[in-house]
Amino acid sequence: MKPRQIDIVGQDIRPIEPEFDTEDQLSFYIEMWFDCDKYFGVNTANDDDVWLNFYVMYHRKSDTITTQYTLDNHDFPEVVDWELTKEEESYIRQKLNDFCMEDAQLPLKEWFDKFVNE
């Protein structure tokens, strides 16, 4: 696991734009309102042509989440699987649940079932 310079638990993160990738996987784009360079150990602040996108994938059958980030630039996007600590996973899962509750008054798993079955 890559060392972090900051802790994201308690930071302002916002799941948005959920997309059903498969009948078992839902992806959320995550807006991050903290220093992403320190968290991910990258350097985007000094380069206007590089930006970071962070995604959380919810896997319905296993009731698990996985994450990855993409360093996007004009030449070569780099996709990196990102391992969460247990505390980070719990925090992000709560943010996903909050999103679903606000959207449809349903927890994540039930929200997934409702929309995948429509």
Side-chain angles (χ1 to χ4, degrees):
M1 185 175 298
K2 202 170 186 180
R4 287 106 157 108
Q5 293 179 21
I6 62 171
D7 183 6
I8 66 161
V9 175
Q11 296 288 336
D12 187 3
I13 64 170
R14 302 172 191 172
I16 62 171
E17 301 175 10
E19 292 184 17
F20 290 95
D21 301 325
T22 68
E23 288 186 13
D24 181 52
Q25 182 175 302
L26 172 67
S27 295
F28 286 87
Y29 175 77
I30 304 293
E31 285 185 343
M32 300 172 293
W33 297 92
F34 58 90
D35 189 336
C36 297
D37 285 355
K38 285 185 178 178
Y39 177 66
F40 292 104
V42 298
N43 185 13
T44 62
N46 297 325
D47 190 342
D48 290 339
D49 292 328
V50 177
W51 60 95
L52 188 141
N53 293 304
F54 186 49
Y55 301 93
V56 174
M57 285 70 66
Y58 172 68
H59 308 276
R60 170 63 174 89
K61 288 179 186 167
S62 61
D63 192 32
T64 59
I65 61 174
T66 57
T67 59
Q68 64 182 205
Y69 68 84
T70 303
L71 281 177
D72 286 320
N73 59 42
H74 298 293
D75 299 322
F76 182 74
E78 178 185 359
V79 177
V80 178
D81 290 332
W82 185 252
E83 187 177 344
L84 299 171
T85 66
K86 289 182 183 194
E87 293 82 14
E88 291 169 343
E89 182 176 344
S90 177
Y91 182 68
I92 290 174
R93 181 181 287 273
Q94 183 59 52
K95 291 290 186 176
L96 299 179
N97 269 311
D98 292 348
F99 174 91
C100 296
M101 291 299 292
E102 185 175 315
D103 181 68
Q105 295 74 50
L106 294 169
L108 177 60
K109 195 179 251 188
E110 291 175 33
W111 188 92
F112 184 103
D113 290 343
K114 177 183 180 200
F115 290 100
V116 82
N117 292 324
E118 286 186 348

